């Protein structure tokens, strides 16, 4: 390690400022937090602006063209900051590109934007200290774009910087599904699951730091098959049960799931495991069988309907969420109508919807019959209006209910606190900021499009009573209400 990177030895030296800008999915959010963890021992403290930062990392997303292009425009702005810094200071600003654009475009990034000092793929950010050291000597190396997630997790520091009572926890990475539109199998590599013991250890540390809710992350999280205590592969359901046994971990969620990996034991767990929140993100992408086939989703619409029925039978009040793509090559008006019909039949509490974006190197990019943008845009508007209507109805149906809310952070007004309902809605509660970090019963006064507003109903209900009282299991189905 060079002298410039050594942690301050004596006296309170000013920390070096680290700015990380995160694009894309929650996996990137987790990775950004872990990058900060890796760099903290080198004396880097995070800041929320690039101005004045010593080290800037763009943690990028390659999923759609716009996502990737944003990176280059951001790099243009950073270059100006870096040049200004070089004129006024002897310590240069270091710029790194991490994440999926780094993985997909590698050297191309350095060629397009010479201000970039280093490029680090999603499986190599544990090597940041070493990469920084080398950068201090010679610029322009691209290292660590090979897939080796096992090494990465082993090499990350145990300590995590935690911000509030909720945390992401990556349990699985990569994807073997190869949907024809998607870059993830190329940027994140093959499916790989972390061993149960490593995940439990991380969750125990999070609980010690006050975390009450963990969201288990994976590109195909329900394909989780990490090694269990007996050496045999575990399942996501078994992992969830083990996590729920950790004192303090009261709530568990997981995302993102593929319909084909929605196993019987996971569905059953939704009916049995108190800590498993009644919320499921289960993307279907499209409602027409021929488009699902062209997307290589490996299941049809009826299988999705059957699955939803089984999940709802296990947990009637479950809130469903999804992802949709409109304008996939060859999508006709009739195909699109099938997507609208599927949405009407399923009913979503929330959803993301996108216009298809051709990605270089994916099979769909060279399929004939690309849909004109104007047509795709119109379909997107129609779909979003329907999804919006469903989300609004879902939230409005909460008015008058009492539910457990995990209070996460201060709100904007006075002593207001903002928390999360079991169904992942944002809940604003007045005069509750002294209860941040706790799960409290809240009566909902008003369900709005994007959030709920309520008031706390009891102050000192003991945790044990709360656990036995159930967080909403006794409630009947709220879907379609
Ligand atoms: N593993 C997850 C999703 C990862 S990407 C899953 O299988 O569902 C997140 C979402 O981005 C996808 O669900 C899809 O809806 C969207 N997406 C992926 N590739 C896209 C593309 N080429 N154009 C438009 N949207 C895309
Ligand atoms: Fe992409 Fe499909 Fe894998 Fe999801 S399942 S990450 S959409 S290839
Ligand atoms: Fe984007 Fe990579 Fe996530 S492409 S969606 S950041 S896995």
């Amino acid at each position: 390690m060079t002298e410039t990177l050594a942690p301050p030895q004596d006296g309170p030296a000013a920390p070096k400022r680290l700015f990380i800008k995160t694009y894309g999915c929650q996996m990137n959010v987790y990775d950004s937090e872990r990058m900060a963890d890796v760099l903290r021992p080198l004396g880097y403290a995070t800041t929320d602006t690039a101005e004045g930062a010593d080290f800037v990392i763009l943690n990028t997303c390659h999923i759609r063209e716009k996502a990737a292009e944003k990176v280059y425009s951001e790099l243009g702005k950073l270059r100006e900051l870096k040049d200004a810094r070089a004129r006024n200071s002897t310590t240069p600003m270091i710029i790194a590109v991490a994440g999926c654009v780094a993985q997909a475009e590698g050297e191309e990034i350095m060629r397009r934007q010479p201000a970039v000092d280093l490029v680090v793929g999603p499986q190599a950010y544990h090597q940041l200290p070493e990469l920084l050291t080398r950068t201090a000597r010679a610029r322009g190396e691209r290292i660590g774009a090979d897939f080796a997630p096992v090494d990465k997790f082993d090499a990350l520091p145990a300590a995590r910087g935690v911000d509030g009572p909720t945390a992401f926890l990556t349990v699985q990475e990569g994807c073997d599904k190869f949907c024809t539109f998607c870059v993830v199998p190329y940027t994140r590599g093959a499916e790989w699951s972390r061993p149960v013991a490593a995940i439990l250890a991380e969750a125990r540390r999070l609980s010690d730091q006050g975390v009450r809710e963990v969201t288990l992350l994976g590109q195909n999280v329900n394909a989780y098959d990490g090694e269990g205590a007996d050496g045999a592969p575990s399942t996501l359901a078994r992992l969830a049960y083990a996590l729920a046994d950790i004192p303090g971990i009261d709530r568990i969620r997981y995302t993102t799931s593929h319909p084909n990996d929605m196993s019987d034991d996971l569905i059953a767990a939704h009916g049995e495991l108190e800590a498993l929140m009644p919320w499921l993100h289960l993307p279907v992408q499209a409602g027409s069988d021929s488009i699902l086939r062209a997307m290589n989703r490996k299941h049809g619409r009826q299988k999705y309907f059957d699955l939803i029925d089984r999940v709802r039978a296990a947990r009637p009040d479950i809130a469903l969420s999804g992802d949709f793509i409109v304008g996939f090559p060859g999508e006709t008006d009739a195909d699109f109508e099938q997507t609208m019909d599927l949405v009407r039949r399923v009913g979503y509490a929330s959803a993301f919807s996108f216009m298809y974006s051709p990605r270089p190197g994916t099979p769909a990019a060279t399929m004939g019959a690309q849909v004109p943008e104007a047509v795709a845009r119109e379909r997107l508007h129609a779909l979003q209006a329907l999804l919006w209507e469903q989300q609004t109805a879902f939230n409005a149906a909460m008015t008058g209910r009492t539910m457990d809310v995990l209070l996460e952070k201060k709100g904007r007004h006075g002593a207001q606190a903002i928390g999360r309902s079991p169904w992942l809605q944002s809940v604003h509660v007045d005069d509750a900021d002294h209860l941040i970090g706790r799960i409290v019963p809240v009566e909902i006064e008003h369900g709005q499009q994007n959030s709920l507003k309520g008031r706390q109903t009891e102050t000192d209900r003991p945790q044990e009573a709360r656990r036995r009282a159930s967080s909403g299991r006794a409630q009947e189905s709220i879907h379609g209400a």
Side-chain angles (χ1 to χ4, degrees):
M1 199 176 286
T2 65
E3 274 162 20
T4 46
L5 294 168
Q9 296 293 316
D10 41 35
K16 285 174 277 190
R17 280 156 299 181
L18 167 67
F19 174 63
I20 307 182
K21 185 160 181 169
T22 309
Y23 303 82
C25 61
Q26 291 108 324
M27 189 83 59
N28 265 12
V29 175
Y30 175 88
D31 288 348
S32 291
E33 289 171 5
R34 303 308 330 253
M35 285 192 255
D37 294 338
V38 167
L39 293 167
R40 200 169 296 115
L42 304 188
Y44 282 98
T46 50
T47 141
D48 51 14
T49 159
E51 264 113 62
D54 300 286
F55 188 15
V56 177
I57 303 175
L58 299 185
N59 193 12
T60 61
C61 173
H62 202 244
I63 203 83
R64 283 169 289 275
E65 193 182 348
K66 260 196 201 133
E69 279 309 312
K70 266 189 213 156
V71 174
Y72 289 101
S73 71
E74 188 64 32
L75 284 173
K77 288 186 224 156
L78 287 176
R79 180 192 193 144
E80 287 172 24
L81 282 180
K82 180 172 176 142
D83 289 348
R85 165 87 166 237
R87 288 192 294 272
N88 303 321
S89 162
T90 49
T91 43
M93 175 197 246
I94 302 166
I95 300 176
V97 177
C100 292
V101 177
Q103 185 63 42
E105 298 185 6
E107 290 86 0
E108 165 81 8
I109 300 171
M110 299 256 199
R111 203 183 50 72
R112 275 182 70 174
Q113 183 47 273
V116 173
D117 297 285
L118 56 104
V119 171
V120 55
Q123 303 307 346
Y125 60 75
H126 59 289
Q127 296 169 5
L128 272 171
E130 190 190 325
L131 293 173
L132 269 176
T133 312
R134 292 192 204 179
T135 306
R137 294 199 205 108
R139 286 208 32 208
E141 271 180 90
R142 179 202 182 212
I143 301 158
D146 297 331
F147 297 121
V150 188
D151 300 348
K152 176 179 77 178
F153 284 107
D154 285 349
L156 288 171
R160 276 188 64 176
V162 162
D163 182 21
T166 61
F168 289 134
L169 207 179
T170 293
V171 303
Q172 182 274 341
E173 285 201 83
C175 180
D176 297 339
K177 301 286 188 291
F178 290 93
C179 300
T180 51
F181 52 80
C182 184
V183 294
V184 171
Y186 311 98
T187 62
R188 295 279 177 161
E191 284 177 11
W192 181 81
S193 299
R194 293 175 72 187
V196 170
I199 296 164
L200 294 181
E202 189 167 334
R204 275 188 213 104
R205 283 191 294 270
L206 289 172
S207 168
D208 290 344
Q209 290 173 274
V211 168
R212 309 289 301 275
E213 174 177 313
V214 289
T215 302
L216 310 179
L217 299 181
Q219 265 90 23
N220 267 297
V221 72
N222 58 342
Y224 176 82
D225 64 354
E227 186 186 330
D230 55 359
S234 175
T235 63
L236 188 65
R238 269 188 271 153
L239 176 67
Y241 276 97
L243 284 163
D245 282 340
I246 296 175
I249 301 294
D250 293 320
R251 292 178 157 200
I252 299 165
R253 304 179 195 273
Y254 58 93
T255 194
T256 295
S257 296
H258 191 287
N260 284 1
D261 292 315
M262 209 60 217
S263 60
D264 291 344
D265 69 338
L266 187 55
I267 295 173
H270 273 286
E272 293 160 5
L273 182 59
E274 180 87 10
L276 201 53
M277 289 292 99
W279 176 84
L280 176 62
H281 185 63
L282 195 62
V284 64
Q285 314 296 354
S288 128
D289 278 332
S290 66
I291 295 298
L292 286 169
R293 208 172 306 118
M295 286 177 161
N296 191 32
R297 289 291 292 182
K298 303 187 179 88
H299 67 81
R301 63 190 262 121
Q302 191 54 48
K303 182 167 173 192
Y304 188 76
F305 288 139
D306 294 345
L307 186 54
I308 299 296
D309 286 348
R310 285 165 54 218
V311 170
R312 284 206 166 119
R315 181 78 205 225
D317 67 344
I318 201 156
L320 290 167
S321 146
D323 291 345
F324 296 90
I325 295 177
V326 299
F328 185 83
E331 185 186 71
T332 62
D333 285 342
D335 290 320
F336 174 64
E337 188 40 50
Q338 293 269 290
T339 298
M340 294 291 277
D341 175 71
L342 180 143
V343 171
R344 279 186 213 105
R345 283 170 66 169
V346 171
Y348 289 89
S350 68
F352 298 101
S353 46
F354 312 99
M355 228 157 62
Y356 167 70
S357 166
R359 305 306 291 131
T362 60
T366 49
M367 284 179 185
Q370 300 279 330
V371 174
E373 192 177 322
V375 174
R377 193 171 300 280
E378 207 174 297
R379 288 178 188 165
L380 185 66
H381 287 159
L383 175 61
Q384 287 183 338
L386 175 59
L387 290 167
W388 195 237
E389 205 180 286
Q390 292 189 340
Q391 178 174 322
T392 308
F394 183 80
N395 287 349
M398 298 287 162
T399 305
R401 284 168 179 266
T402 297
M403 60 181 68
D404 281 349
V405 173
L406 170 56
L407 296 175
E408 276 184 89
K409 57 183 179 204
K410 266 186 80 64
R412 251 185 280 160
H413 311 291
Q416 190 183 57
I418 301 179
R420 283 182 197 198
S421 79
W423 302 278
L424 203 57
Q425 295 139 308
S426 174
V427 188
H428 297 243
V429 188
D430 286 336
D431 300 321
D433 67 349
H434 59 293
L435 296 169
I436 285 170
R438 291 184 49 186
I439 297 170
V440 297
V442 169
E443 185 184 336
I444 302 304
E445 295 165 319
H446 191 40
Q448 293 149 314
Q449 278 180 332
N450 272 323
S451 62
L452 311 177
K453 196 174 175 321
R455 63 181 177 84
Q456 195 207 334
T457 54
E458 296 163 57
T459 31
D460 286 319
R461 189 143 63 112
Q463 281 306 304
E464 274 314 299
R466 191 199 65 76
R467 272 163 170 266
R468 281 195 301 272
S470 161
S471 62
R473 186 61 40 94
Q475 289 168 349
E476 75 283 16
S477 171
I478 45 174
H479 164 65

